Amino acid sequence: MLRTAAEASLSRVSEAEPSRRPEAATATDRPTPLGPSTRAVHAGLPAPEQGAPLVPGPVLAAPYHLRGDTDSAPFGYARDANPTWSVVEAALGQLEDADSVLFSSGMAALCAVLEPALGAGDVLVAVRDGYPGVRGVASDRLAPRGVEVRLVPTDTAVIVDACNGATLVWVETPSNPRLDVCDIAEVAAAAHANGARLAVDNTLATPLGQRPLEHGADAVAYSATKALSGHSDLVLGAVAVRDPEWAALLRRHRSQGGAIAGPFEAWLLQRSLPTLALRLARQSENALALARMLRQRADVADVRHPGLEDHPGHAIALRQMRQTGPLVCFTLDGADRAQRFLAALRLVAEATSFGGVHSSAERRGRWGTDDVPEGLIRFSAGCEDAADLLADVEQALAAS
Ligand SMILES: Cc1ncc(COP(=O)(O)O)c(C=O)c1O
């Protein structure tokens, strides 16, 4: 049967993609469990080859030489696959022990999980206190198609109860911005008992902070824009799954939708991953130190960070997280004081997004998308020295 070039190229993705993942043995394939920094530094790198670059650079080509039989070449057309994605996908895949698929943004990654999985009559259970983009997709794209959407708080028992009849369960733990925690293993068990699959948005924790697939989740989605890349200079996303058919579907969805990552951004992410362990450890330490300091203050309310012993989800966080992440949230007395505080900060940028090496903060109420007090600050601790960061926050509180 004659096929158009586009059809041929799509079927190559779905049929031949698994063999495109670099198979060469790398340091992270060794049987002894390696530490997180070692894994992050070596993940995805091809096996050493005489005279080859130590670290692969970005490959910007659109078409590749492709004579005759199209299945014989690992790369044909850059919307389907390219060598830079392969390095990044191999790296993320090794960090997750899964097949990882790179997307042009976190939203493209979320949509690639949600949209193909849900049709008329299906039920999506999703957290209502997580990233608002998911609720937007649910109400604007899924509900009009006949998908029943059940929004629930990030509370294990409530999510478990809502799983009855579900098709897909979507959680974000810790949730953003209020940093509530749910038990991934319990939610996965309830989802599976109902024949549903569980997807976890793991943007905040990254694969070094939490590995949801190990606790029973079926898919993990990321905005790589945040801590995964960590330098506030790119927009990317990724999904990790262990089911090869699902991975092929995600790649097909990517090729068909065309929401692909630029190779240069992919390479910037490749370049960022070796420092992920260092960045995340420093950010998590700084966030906890900041939370402890803020908790002592009478003019700051409801300080939240999953590493605080009295955080309601602390015990679960200890079980399922290796690092508690860069975010701290706290509430100041009203929008005006919160804005004065932000304006008085010297080292901390007022910006949305989080997980960067530079600390940033914002008043989440300014967007009108989260059900939070007007004075709630979402603070993303960067990699500065803790003493400097705490001193800056203290002077800004005093000045506001
Ligand atoms: C938790 C979370 N998931 C997904 C996204 C969407 O990612 P992106 O902005 O890379 O599309 C964001 C963005 O802020 C986020 O915070």
Side-chain angles (χ1 to χ4, degrees):
M1 188 179 65
L2 271 179
R3 295 187 298 182
T4 63
E7 280 167 350
S9 118
L10 278 178
S11 67
R12 273 207 311 280
V13 169
S14 53
E15 290 153 18
E17 189 58 34
S19 66
R20 291 182 176 186
R21 299 178 61 217
E23 298 298 339
T26 68
T28 48
D29 291 331
R30 285 185 196 137
T32 328
L34 297 168
S37 292
T38 314
R39 284 167 70 82
V41 166
H42 290 275
L45 291 183
E49 208 181 295
Q50 187 74 345
L54 198 62
V55 179
V59 178
L60 304 175
Y64 292 74
H65 286 295
L66 195 62
R67 295 198 192 107
D69 169 24
T70 57
D71 289 338
S72 61
F75 303 103
Y77 186 63
R79 179 163 42 75
D80 298 329
N82 79 55
T84 311
W85 294 357
S86 294
V87 174
V88 175
E89 291 184 343
L92 293 175
Q94 285 165 12
L95 295 179
E96 300 273 10
D97 290 320
D99 198 345
S100 179
V101 184
L102 193 64
F103 287 89
S104 54
S105 66
M107 281 311 295
L110 309 190
C111 287
V113 174
L114 292 166
E115 292 187 330
L118 295 160
D122 288 335
V123 176
L124 169 68
V125 174
V127 285
R128 67 162 171 255
D129 46 4
Y131 179 61
V134 178
R135 299 195 292 282
V137 171
S139 64
D140 296 353
R141 297 182 177 209
L142 300 174
R145 274 196 211 167
V147 177
E148 183 192 332
V149 178
R150 294 182 192 157
L151 294 180
V152 288
T154 301
D155 174 310
T156 309
V158 180
I159 302 170
V160 164
D161 272 356
C163 283
N164 188 9
T167 313
L168 183 71
V169 180
W170 183 279
V171 301
E172 185 186 327
T173 177
S175 65
N176 165 19
R178 288 181 59 84
L179 307 177
D180 284 315
V181 171
C182 67
D183 187 317
I184 298 171
E186 264 193 57
V187 174
H192 296 161
N194 285 278
R197 293 199 278 198
L198 171 65
V200 178
D201 183 331
N202 202 32
T203 298
L204 188 156
T206 85
L208 293 186
Q210 176 170 271
R211 303 214 315 158
L213 299 176
E214 259 177 18
H215 302 284
D218 302 286
V220 184
Y222 290 100
S223 165
T225 315
K226 310 291 186 303
L228 212 49
S229 62
H231 291 75
S232 306
D233 54 8
L234 60 82
V235 175
L236 284 176
V239 178
V241 292
R242 289 184 176 162
D243 171 0
E245 279 180 29
W246 201 354
L249 178 70
L250 289 165
R251 290 197 163 89
R252 203 157 60 240
H253 177 89
R254 177 176 66 185
S255 272
Q256 289 170 342
I260 61 160
F264 190 75
E265 284 79 6
W267 178 71
L268 285 176
L269 175 57
Q270 173 195 318
R271 212 167 176 273
S272 302
L273 289 177
T275 56
L276 176 58
L278 294 173
R279 289 186 280 110
L280 189 69
R282 170 63 74 91
Q283 289 167 328
S284 299
E285 279 165 22
N286 281 355
L288 185 57
L290 180 64
R292 291 213 161 107
M293 180 276 279
L294 290 170
R295 212 175 32 173
Q296 307 301 321
R297 296 187 60 114
D299 60 345
V300 178
D302 201 16
V303 180
R304 289 170 157 253
H305 177 76
L308 286 176
E309 291 73 13
D310 58 359
H311 182 286
H314 181 65
I316 303 173
L318 277 185
R319 269 204 305 280
Q320 67 191 26
M321 299 187 78
R322 297 170 181 185
Q323 299 282 349
T324 45
L327 286 185
V328 179
C329 79
F330 53 94
T331 303
L332 300 180
D333 189 15
D336 289 348
R337 173 149 196 248
Q339 286 302 150
R340 284 199 302 275
F341 164 72
L342 292 168
L345 289 164
R346 293 175 189 144
L347 289 175
V348 182
E350 183 178 354
T352 197
S353 198
F354 59 87
V357 290
H358 312 90
S359 291
S360 64
E362 71 168 335
R363 190 176 68 77
R364 278 305 286 185
R366 67 178 171 163
W367 295 103
T369 48
D370 302 313
D371 183 16
V372 293
E374 283 300 321
L376 182 134
I377 302 284
R378 182 180 74 179
F379 193 105
S380 176
C383 293
E384 296 89 350
D385 291 300
D388 294 334
L389 201 55
L390 269 54
D392 192 33
V393 169
E394 282 181 313
Q395 72 75 24
L397 286 170
S400 59

